[in-house]
Amino acid sequence: MVSSRAAAEPERRSREQRTSDSRTRILDAAVSCLVESGYAGTTTLTIQNRAGVSRGRLLHHFPSKENLLVAAAQHLATSRFAEDGLARADLPAADVDADARLDRAVEVMWWTYQQAYFWASVELWTAARTDGALAAALLPAERRLGAAIRQTVDAFFEDYADPARAALLRETLLTSMRGVALTYGFDPRDPQTDPHLEQWKQLARMLLLPEGGPGRA
């Protein structure tokens, strides 16, 4: 005989799955609205309609627009960074071709700045300058994400040089790539042919490989 508790278990799991699914739809819809319409053009109503959820369901998950949009950008950034970023990159083995491995790592880091989650974050950063409530919600989330990104990059670079050199390269690449990527908002072009890409690779070799790498002066 099946107990009432056992019978209720599938129903509970189904309810939890529906809750998780609706939350994910809301977050995905919010990111799409941010990228397509910007912060000013993104409202809870447009997100609600795009996600196909009720007003009550949206407010149950996210009582304020600020918390919703911050959660959306962080959700996409963390999931994509884990699945598609340096942590999952198909890199050559360091003991086989250290140059190629380092070059590929720089390419993958640069690639992350061409993704939707970067532009969603840019919309939030810009709006937060004059929106205190958004800034208060954004700051702790950005600090958590930044720590996760640095940890992943550090785990890769630690095989090449002392921690001080690796940290110098990490911060230089992250800040420089972010600055260059911002110009693509008004001057779109092919990121694979950006002259900065070769400069970043050269910098990485100079800092992390002996004498700038095999065959280099």
Side-chain angles (χ1 to χ4, degrees), residues 26 36 67 100 113 117 122 176 188 193 195 202-203:
I26 293 169
E36 294 172 10
N67 287 330
Y113 286 93
Y117 53 79
V122 168
S176 179
T193 62
Q202 291 177 9
L203 177 63

Side-chain angles (χ1 to χ4, degrees), residues 106-180:
V106 172
E107 291 170 356
V108 173
M109 289 180 67
W110 175 229
W111 174 85
T112 64
Y113 286 93
Q114 314 306 317
Q115 306 309 305
Y117 53 79
F118 172 70
W119 292 108
S121 296
V122 168
E123 289 294 330
L124 295 178
W125 298 339
T126 304
R129 187 180 71 83
T130 56
D131 187 328
L134 177 60
L138 183 61
L139 182 57
E142 283 292 325
R143 284 177 172 169
R144 287 193 300 271
L145 179 60
I149 291 174
R150 285 173 172 81
Q151 184 177 23
T152 300
V153 175
D154 285 347
F156 173 77
F157 287 150
E158 68 184 2
D159 293 335
Y160 284 89
D162 65 87
R165 280 178 171 263
L168 175 61
L169 177 63
R170 176 199 69 204
E171 290 305 304
T172 301
L173 290 180
L174 290 175
T175 55
S176 179
M177 287 180 177
R178 184 185 305 122
V180 173

